[in-house]
Amino acid sequence: MKKDTRNDTNNRYTGFALAAMDAALAERQVTDQILQCNEVTEKYGLILTEHQALSLAQTRTTSLKENRRIEFGSGIVDKLIMEFCDSPYLSQENYEDTLHELISLFYEMKNLTEDRVSDRDLMEFMKQAFDNGCRGSLELLSGEAMRLSEHIHCGGTIKTFRLKETAI
């Protein structure tokens, strides 16, 4: 007797459709939270449009997939925005591009440190390095992040890690 696989196929398609709807809803929620940050960031001359906010939410989704991570709730994008908005190295001209890079670096670092560093501590580290030794350079920040990863893998902690005085 041949098994009717139509229900199995329909269930798979329904499951994919539901997952896609969930992803779209999550991106919408993240986009809304990003836009709410404008209330604070505008005093630093930094504003994101709805299109830019959606693009950042999509970067989050892509970074999570590339790093094989899952995240519940809104995640860290709005928190990164609030952490970095007062940086002297951010301007309206580089704001969105810098945020895309910071989001990607954050999730990469969570993997490289094997989640031994809390989200909060990692954001503080990134901000401290970005504003000080790296002087706003994302390339240098990435280098410092790799140094932190090596330090963690050698048994150190974020508390015992020392940033280079000047990475330039």
Side-chain angles (χ1 to χ4, degrees):
M1 184 165 143
K2 186 175 179 183
K3 181 180 175 188
D4 183 3
T5 60
R6 285 180 290 171
N7 282 338
D8 291 342
T9 303
N10 286 340
N11 287 341
R12 267 187 263 138
Y13 289 133
T14 302
F16 289 133
L18 289 174
M21 286 176 25
D22 286 346
L25 179 59
E27 275 187 1
R28 182 71 247 169
Q29 289 173 331
V30 171
T31 300
D32 290 343
Q33 288 180 322
I34 291 169
L35 289 171
Q36 288 174 1
C37 293
N38 282 340
E39 295 173 18
V40 173
T41 63
E42 71 181 334
K43 71 180 166 191
Y44 301 103
L46 305 171
I47 300 286
L48 293 166
T49 65
E50 184 159 349
H51 176 73
Q52 290 171 318
L54 178 59
S55 181
L56 290 167
Q58 291 168 341
T59 292
R60 171 192 177 255
T61 301
T62 300
S63 292
L64 286 168
K65 286 178 185 175
E66 287 175 353
N67 289 287
R68 297 176 185 226
R69 299 189 67 81
I70 59 169
E71 196 168 58
F72 300 102
S74 65
I76 54 87
V77 178
D78 57 328
K79 294 167 186 68
L80 274 174
I81 290 170
M82 299 311 289
E83 185 74 31
F84 279 81
C85 69
D86 65 347
S87 173
Y89 298 102
L90 284 182
S91 66
Q92 186 62 43
E93 292 74 36
N94 70 3
Y95 186 40
E96 180 189 4
D97 290 339
T98 300
L99 289 174
H100 284 288
E101 294 297 323
L102 291 172
I103 293 165
S104 295
L105 180 60
F106 177 86
Y107 291 118
E108 181 182 355
M109 286 307 301
K110 287 300 286 185
N111 278 356
L112 290 174
T113 60
E114 299 172 343
D115 289 307
R116 294 184 200 164
V117 178
S118 72
D119 290 358
R120 177 93 235 109
D121 285 346
L122 184 55
M123 280 186 263
E124 288 174 3
F125 158 79
M126 290 171 66
K127 174 65 164 36
Q128 184 73 16
F130 185 78
D131 280 356
N132 294 298
C134 298
R135 297 184 183 151
S137 167
L138 291 165
E139 185 176 336
L140 293 175
L141 177 59
S142 181
E144 283 296 287
M146 290 302 140
R147 284 185 59 241
L148 171 64
S149 172
E150 290 169 8
H151 180 76
I152 298 291
H153 285 275
C154 290
T157 67
I158 195 159
K159 303 293 184 209
T160 61
F161 182 76
R162 296 290 166 247
L163 289 168
K164 289 183 179 178
E165 286 291 320
T166 216
I168 295 178

